Amino acid sequence: MRDSRLPANSHETIPENARNREHDNALGGAGEGQWARTVQMQDLQHDDDLNAVIRDHSERLTAQLHAQAESLFPPDAAKEMRKFTSGEAAALLKVNDSYLRKLHLDGKGPSPELTPGNRRLYSVHDLHALRVLLEKTARRPGDYLPGRREGDHLQVIGVMNFKGGSGKTTSAAHLAQRLALLGHRVLAIDLDPQASLTALHGVQPEFDLLNGGTLYDAIRYDSPVPIAEVIRPTYIPGLDLIPGNLELMEFEHETPRALAQGQAGLFFFRVKEALSQVDDRYDVVVIDCPPQLGFLTMSALSAATGVLVTIHPEMLDVMSMSQFLRMTADLMDVIAESGADMKHDWMRYLLTRYEPTDAPQNRVVAFLRTMYGDTVLNAPMLKSTAISDAGLTKQTLYEVDRSAFTRSTYDRALESMNAVNDEIAKLIQTTWGR
């Protein structure tokens, strides 16, 4: 009989380390030295606690990201919005370019920057000044400053989904900026501890928010501060920001403890109550919700007057959304049983990262439109390299210069983004009865 201690074939009699050395030599690699370093690295990873490895990786990545950010935006630099051509300015103001030229020649309104080619460039501050000027002679109130009037309630839009890659933050950032560029007074709130919305607006959470400064400060159970103390202006007139960072997770940890001690009260009203302090300062609040159904998301849902659910039209994402909707409904039932009014002005689904030439995606889109009808926005957000490339430098499509891209790629992406955001802007006006 074969000795069970013997290997099944002669190849297996080669010691493991010898075979590894042979493999190195066969690959023409670094041989024993490289193999030894690999083993040493593996031993280090086995010896270290997982939390130590993760912390080390986190610190190294943070340092690299900070270095990259400093190369793009030096510490003493403030992020600025690009300037708009006269054609872009006219489109935003919904007037003719020739009319803008006449205003300039007549000495009315701000003076645009003139390029060597005699092209007019308008800053975002110029656009705001022009809106104020044009509103004075508008045929109808709100033609150029379309915000709230007496009797209109604050619109609070919760942008949510708990599946990564659905375009939630991209949608929230572009919506907030577009509404501000159209003349609304907007407050963007980053309620996601990952703080991508914050980074897009020039705030580095791990360096600029060392002593708080997130919404957590205004909704915490122990000595909350007035929400006005955590609001900061951005480089776009009419757009303010409440940044986010990992500190927001404290609310998720503290709420169960406060509930157990009977100190939480109606915890899901804390965001709504905080916003009531600045109700008269804004027309629209855009909340980038966390990608989970926790206490922060429940509080945002309770404060929201409109809900925007982002969907990537792939079957796995739709299946995930099914669970998301079921759990959301269950949680809202619990909140409603506590006496909250969970009625909303509207709820819409936004198709994101949509590729019109993708047949399976088109079948999913048709399925969703058949099932949900008008609650699916007509305009989808197209998948575009322009959006992802802009994100590399922590910018949105509205911030990057058109010349940095292939013109057709940029125009196609911008047209898609504007169609989405303008449909939502029209929905807001409809809610106000206009």
Side-chain angles (χ1 to χ4, degrees):
M1 291 181 60
R2 179 194 259 293
D3 189 335
S4 60
R5 292 172 297 176
L6 293 177
N9 57 53
S10 58
H11 179 70
E12 294 185 7
T13 62
I14 302 174
E16 186 70 23
N17 58 353
R19 272 192 290 146
N20 283 333
R21 285 195 294 271
E22 286 182 5
H23 179 66
D24 279 343
N25 292 330
L27 290 175
E32 293 186 14
Q34 178 65 39
W35 173 80
R37 285 192 294 274
T38 302
V39 171
Q40 184 181 21
M41 187 178 295
Q42 290 173 344
D43 288 343
L44 281 172
Q45 292 191 358
H46 284 307
D47 291 342
D48 287 345
D49 291 333
L50 180 60
N51 59 334
V53 173
I54 292 175
R55 184 173 300 280
D56 174 63
H57 289 186
S58 169
E59 291 173 353
R60 285 160 54 191
L61 180 58
T62 297
Q64 287 297 319
L65 290 174
H66 184 52
Q68 182 192 42
E70 284 194 338
S71 67
L72 294 170
F73 306 105
D76 58 344
K79 196 174 181 186
E80 294 181 350
M81 190 69 172
R82 69 176 178 88
K83 295 191 174 179
F84 296 88
T85 66
S86 58
E88 290 175 320
L92 282 167
L93 295 169
K94 295 182 173 60
V95 298
N96 292 324
D97 190 4
S98 58
Y99 183 58
L100 276 188
R101 180 183 293 275
K102 184 176 184 304
L103 287 176
H104 170 54
L105 295 175
D106 292 345
K108 296 180 180 179
S111 297
E113 175 187 329
L114 293 177
T115 69
N118 214 30
R119 296 177 62 201
R120 288 167 290 132
L121 296 178
Y122 292 85
S123 71
V124 282
H125 300 282
D126 293 337
L127 289 177
H128 182 69
L130 284 167
R131 283 192 182 281
V132 174
L133 174 67
L134 293 170
E135 182 67 22
K136 293 177 181 178
T137 56
R139 294 179 181 177
R140 296 172 301 177
D143 277 352
Y144 300 100
L145 291 172
R148 292 164 67 188
R149 303 176 204 163
E150 187 175 352
D152 295 339
H153 61 271
L154 177 68
Q155 284 286 292
V156 182
I157 303 173
V159 185
M160 57 186 59
N161 200 327
F162 69 6
K163 186 144 191 336
S166 67
K168 177 177 60 65
T169 298
T170 299
S171 303
H174 284 85
L175 174 61
Q177 291 189 1
R178 177 68 173 177
L179 290 174
L181 290 172
L182 290 175
H184 293 84
R185 301 171 301 163
V186 183
L187 174 63
I189 300 179
D190 195 347
L191 213 55
D192 186 345
Q194 297 176 80
S196 298
L197 182 73
T198 299
L200 275 174
H201 287 91
V203 180
Q204 298 183 69
E206 62 271 39
F207 297 102
D208 299 332
L209 301 172
L210 297 178
N211 299 309
T214 71
L215 189 66
Y216 170 72
D217 292 343
I219 63 174
R220 65 191 181 203
Y221 298 98
D222 181 24
S223 304
V225 305
I227 191 173
E229 292 187 14
V230 295
I231 295 175
R232 56 175 70 195
T234 69
Y235 42 90
I236 301 175
L239 175 60
D240 290 343
L241 172 72
I242 298 180
N245 68 1
L246 289 174
E247 182 185 51
L248 288 164
M249 288 302 298
E250 293 297 321
F251 188 74
E252 301 288 355
H253 300 150
E254 287 183 359
T255 299
R257 185 163 55 248
L259 287 169
Q261 296 171 354
Q263 299 174 348
L266 298 177
F267 73 88
F268 42 81
F269 278 157
R270 298 189 77 83
V271 172
K272 186 174 185 177
E273 290 169 351
L275 287 175
S276 68
Q277 300 170 26
V278 291
D279 181 279
D280 60 341
R281 287 176 50 176
Y282 300 101
D283 304 316
V284 184
V285 177
V286 177
I287 304 178
D288 184 21
C289 296
Q292 61 189 44
L293 284 174
F295 296 112
L296 284 169
T297 301
M298 291 170 69
S299 298
L301 270 172
S302 300
T305 60
V307 176
L308 187 66
V309 181
T310 54
I311 311 174
H312 180 217
E314 298 279 2
M315 188 51 68
L316 286 178
D317 294 77
V318 172
M319 291 167 63
S320 174
M321 189 189 73
S322 171
Q323 300 303 310
F324 168 77
L325 294 176
R326 181 187 296 272
M327 287 188 285
T328 301
D330 290 343
L331 287 174
M332 292 178 74
D333 283 344
V334 173
I335 296 174
E337 288 171 3
S338 301
D341 182 3
M342 297 307 294
K343 292 180 181 177
H344 291 71
D345 292 331
W346 52 267
M347 175 182 173
R348 293 293 186 274
Y349 297 102
L350 167 60
L351 301 169
T352 60
R353 297 170 56 210
Y354 173 55
E355 300 177 79
T357 58
D358 188 318
Q361 279 199 15
N362 283 323
R363 286 196 290 271
V364 172
V365 170
F367 168 73
L368 290 171
R369 292 194 185 282
T370 301
M371 182 174 298
Y372 295 131
D374 291 340
T375 55
V376 181
L377 290 178
N378 289 322
M381 184 187 296
L382 299 182
K383 182 178 181 180
S384 173
T385 55
I387 298 174
S388 53
D389 285 354
L392 289 175
T393 52
K394 297 181 181 178
Q395 293 178 294
T396 67
L397 279 179
Y398 300 127
E399 298 174 87
V400 293
D401 198 290
R402 185 188 188 195
S403 62
F405 303 92
T406 303
R407 179 170 295 187
S408 60
T409 300
Y410 177 81
D411 289 349
R412 180 170 167 269
L414 187 65
E415 182 181 356
S416 163
M417 193 69 73
N418 286 344
V420 168
N421 293 328
D422 291 354
E423 188 174 347
I424 298 171
K426 185 176 180 181
L427 191 59
I428 292 171
Q429 295 293 319
T430 302
T431 302
W432 285 334
R434 300 198 275 278

